[in-house]
Structure formats: C-alpha cells, structure tokens
Amino acid sequence: MTADHLESRRQEIVRAALRCFAREGFHATSVRDVVRESGLSAGAVYSYFPSKAELVAGAVEPILEALIGVLDAVVTDTDESLEEDRTPAETVAEVLRRIYPIAVGGELDYTRIAVTAWAEGLRDPAVRAIAEQTYGTVRGRLTHRVARWRDAGHLAADVDAEALGQVLFSTLVGFVLQHALLGDVDLDRYATALCLLLPRS
Amino acid sequence: MTADHLESRRQEIVRAALRCFAREGFHATSVRDVVRESGLSAGAVYSYFPSKAELVAGAVEPILEALIGVLDAVVTDTDESLEEDRTPAETVAEVLRRIYPIAVGGELDYTRIAVTAWAEGLRDPAVRAIAEQTYGTVRGRLTHRVARWRDAGHLAADVDAEALGQVLFSTLVGFVLQHALLGDVDLDRYATALCLLLPRS
C-alpha cells in the first residue's frame, strides 16, 4: 500500500473508533467493537493500533491538535495586533467560537468524547498522559496570555498568572461539560458572557 | 431493625459503593462489586438499592446536598450582608473554599467520583437526570447572584445573567476536573485568581 493509502486506512479506523467512543464511552468500547464497526479485519486494526490506549490516543489526537492550532492562531493574533487587543477572556471566547464548529459540527460530538476521555484518564495512565500533555499546553498558552495582559498593566503586578490560566481553562472545559451533559448551553450567549470577565482596567 | 439501624446500614452500603466508584468508576462497578465490598448479603444490598442507578443516586446525593447547602449559605450571606458584599466570582471562590474539605478531605476524593459520574450521565438517563436537577439548582443560584449584582449596577443592565451563571458554574466544575485529572491545582491560588473575575465597577 502507498503511504496515502496507509494513512487513509488509519483514518478509517480512527473514525470507526470515534463512533464507538461517542456512542458507548471509552471504557465500554473494546478493540473488538472497533474492528466490527470498521468492517476491517482484526489484523488490520491491530496493525495500526496494537492496544486500546493507542486507539484512544489516535482518536483524540486530531481534535486536540485542532484545539491547540486554534488557540495558537488566536493568541498570536492577540499578541501581534496591538490595535485590536483582546482581553484574556475574549481570547478564550474566540477560541470557543472557532473550535465549536470543528468539535460539534461534524458527524460526531467531540464534547461527549472529551467527557468520556476524562473519566477514562482517571483509570488509564496512558489516557491521563495525553490529557496532561495537551491540557498542559492549552493552560500554558492561557497563562502566557494572562502574563502579557498583566505586564501591560491591566492586572496588578503580583497577579498569579498560572492560577488565572487554570481558571480560564475551566471556562473552556466547563463549556464542554455543560454542552455534553446538560445540553442547554448556547455558544454565542456563553461566549458573550465570558467576555465580561477580566475587563480592561 | 430500628429506623436508625436501617439508616446506618444504608450508609454502610453507600460508603462501600463510593469506594468502588472512586476506584473503578461508575461504569466498571457492578452491584455485585458493591455487595462484595460491603461484606453484606446480596439480598441486603438489593433491598436498599434495587438497581445500579439507585446506588449511583444514593452515592452522589450526600455530596450534592452538601454542595447546594454550602452554596445557599454563601449566597444568603452575600445577599443579606450589605456591608461585606461579595462579587459573584468571590461567591464561587467562597463556595469552593467551603466545599473543598468536604469533597476531598475525607476517605474519598469526590472530584474523581464527579468526573466518572459525568461520563456515566452520558449513557444512563437516570444519572443524567440527577446531574440536570442538581447542576440546574447550582446554576440557578449563580444566575440569581449575577442578576442581583447586575441590578445593583455593577454590570450593564442588558447582561445575560443566565449565561454568566453558566460561565461561573464552569469555574466550579473546571476546578473539579483539574483536581481529579491533572492533580496540580491549588485551592487557595485558584480561589484567589477566581476573585479577579467580574471586579466591582
């Protein structure tokens, strides 16, 4: 098989896994379920993903990469354009607005995948390691944004940028939870409300 | 058996269930596991909790009641004492400070229980109904707090109190997630940072 063919086969398995995870959660999904869902042979699936942890990693990787890509684009925008300087909360609201159509606009609702991945991360160190790495990156970007905002004089010089980065991170994951579990949160209203936090001083 | 004895037996089963849930998550725990953990007979456990959903409900009820009790105490404080009027974010920070020792100070880490309950709620309508009801109550209190803060002139008259209540709710559940999954969030630093949101105008 060509490299393109290999990659497209890999994608096919990832999509089958995502359908299973969205439906049943990570814990209740076995590699055998993914084999059945994909319509491929067990050997084919195992050759790409020798363990369930690798399947989980392969499944969440694209959305986590998209999230970090969106975040970087928004933070870079913010840092570079002095004209239209977003507050840290406006930065998070803009990330939410851009990631939302990617997360829930397709065949799958990634907010459901995320919630089930969190629970799996409590039990499976490999899944937890993915969460630590990715969420660590996201929080690092938010902390950086807060530090610049503080250093520009909008917050007191002794403000704890890391802790405030954790609070802002909560507004992202809290949206994910409310969307997946309660289903009554509206993106535009939430993002608009978010922008009221940490106003320009 | 006396009513006291019945209640103490019920508590014993709930504690056994909580230990199983904290260790394995809701999904991986069966009623049979709880029977084994409790050291009681299957008949005894089933007479109190005829289904797993009822066991889940019984297990999360005390902590959810504690959360709402703390929230009510803090919101009532805030609404009634005009001298020391907390901002909505300070209200959430105070709730976190008071609920934290209850949630993680005992034998069990309820932040782990919460994360695993969220995932279970995606699959089990009975668990989802508990989340909807309790979290609906919590968000309602936060919305009420925001509306009073807005009506006191600290926010523009057209601010969407419900959406801002959802954002504040995120700062609670986001703390829970970061505590359970990433384990690197410090209560005092987080609560202090939280108080910077929505400053007095």
Side-chain angles (χ1 to χ4, degrees):
Chain A
M1 291 205 278
T2 64
D4 273 4
H5 193 136
L6 286 168
E7 180 52 28
S8 109
R9 173 62 53 90
R10 187 177 181 282
Q11 288 304 322
E12 202 179 323
I13 298 168
V14 164
R15 279 194 303 273
L18 282 169
R19 286 193 299 271
C20 293
F21 294 149
R23 204 165 53 222
E24 298 295 330
F26 282 109
H27 186 70
T29 299
S30 64
V31 180
R32 187 176 303 186
D33 293 328
V34 176
V35 168
R36 196 178 311 118
E37 178 78 24
S38 70
L40 300 170
S41 70
V45 171
Y46 280 100
S47 74
Y48 287 87
F49 299 101
S51 71
K52 185 170 154 190
E54 284 163 276
L55 206 44
V56 170
V60 297
E61 196 178 61
I63 188 72
L64 291 175
E65 277 178 5
L67 172 61
I68 291 173
V70 162
L71 186 59
D72 281 345
V74 172
V75 169
T76 306
D77 268 16
T78 305
D79 284 354
E80 286 178 0
S81 95
L82 295 171
E83 315 270 10
E84 190 219 351
D85 195 17
R86 290 193 188 95
T87 70
E90 285 165 356
T91 301
V92 177
E94 180 63 19
V95 168
L96 260 184
R97 288 199 176 99
R98 292 196 200 179
I99 196 72
Y100 185 82
I102 304 171
V104 309
E107 176 190 9
L108 291 165
D109 181 346
Y110 278 96
T111 67
R112 289 175 62 88
I113 305 263
V115 172
T116 183
W118 299 339
E120 188 70 3
L122 299 186
R123 309 179 75 244
D124 182 334
V127 175
R128 188 192 189 98
I130 297 168
E132 281 172 351
Q133 200 210 325
T134 320
Y135 289 166
T137 303
V138 172
R139 293 193 311 186
R141 299 289 201 283
L142 296 177
T143 296
H144 170 79
R145 184 72 204 97
V146 169
R148 281 185 71 106
W149 184 250
R150 178 193 61 197
D151 297 347
H154 296 287
L155 293 167
D158 63 350
V159 157
D160 183 342
E162 192 183 32
L164 200 42
Q166 292 172 337
V167 171
L168 290 176
F169 179 72
S170 287
T171 65
L172 273 179
V173 292
F175 179 86
V176 168
L177 177 65
Q178 291 177 78
H179 187 275
L181 185 62
L182 307 174
D184 59 359
V185 61
D186 177 82
L187 172 70
D188 283 327
R189 290 176 58 196
Y190 188 93
T192 302
L194 192 47
C195 292
L196 298 170
L197 309 180
L198 295 178
R200 281 170 190 78
S201 66
Chain B
M1 288 204 281
T2 65
D4 274 5
H5 192 137
L6 285 168
E7 179 54 27
S8 110
R9 174 61 55 87
R10 187 178 181 280
Q11 290 303 322
E12 202 180 322
I13 299 169
V14 164
R15 280 194 302 273
L18 282 169
R19 287 193 297 272
C20 293
F21 294 149
R23 203 165 54 220
E24 297 296 329
F26 283 108
H27 185 72
T29 299
S30 64
V31 181
R32 187 176 304 188
D33 294 328
V34 177
V35 169
R36 196 178 308 116
E37 178 79 23
S38 70
L40 301 170
S41 71
V45 171
Y46 279 100
S47 73
Y48 288 88
F49 299 101
S51 70
K52 184 170 154 189
E54 283 162 276
L55 206 44
V56 171
V60 297
E61 196 178 60
I63 187 72
L64 292 175
E65 277 178 6
L67 172 62
I68 291 173
V70 162
L71 186 59
D72 281 344
V74 173
V75 168
T76 306
D77 268 17
T78 305
D79 284 353
E80 287 176 1
S81 95
L82 294 170
E83 316 270 8
E84 190 219 350
D85 195 18
R86 289 193 189 97
T87 71
E90 284 164 358
T91 301
V92 177
E94 182 62 19
V95 169
L96 260 183
R97 286 199 177 99
R98 293 197 200 178
I99 195 72
Y100 185 83
I102 305 170
V104 309
E107 177 189 8
L108 289 164
D109 181 347
Y110 278 96
T111 67
R112 289 176 62 88
I113 306 264
V115 172
T116 182
W118 300 339
E120 189 69 3
L122 299 186
R123 308 179 75 243
D124 182 334
V127 176
R128 189 194 188 96
I130 298 167
E132 281 172 352
Q133 200 210 324
T134 321
Y135 288 166
T137 303
V138 173
R139 293 194 310 186
R141 300 290 201 281
L142 296 177
T143 296
H144 171 80
R145 184 73 204 97
V146 168
R148 282 184 70 105
W149 184 250
R150 178 194 61 198
D151 297 347
H154 296 289
L155 293 167
D158 63 350
V159 158
D160 183 343
E162 191 183 33
L164 199 43
Q166 292 172 337
V167 171
L168 290 177
F169 179 73
S170 287
T171 65
L172 273 179
V173 292
F175 180 86
V176 169
L177 177 67
Q178 292 177 77
H179 187 275
L181 185 62
L182 307 174
D184 58 0
V185 61
D186 178 81
L187 172 70
D188 283 327
R189 290 176 59 196
Y190 188 93
T192 302
L194 192 47
C195 292
L196 299 170
L197 310 180
L198 294 177
R200 281 171 189 77
S201 64

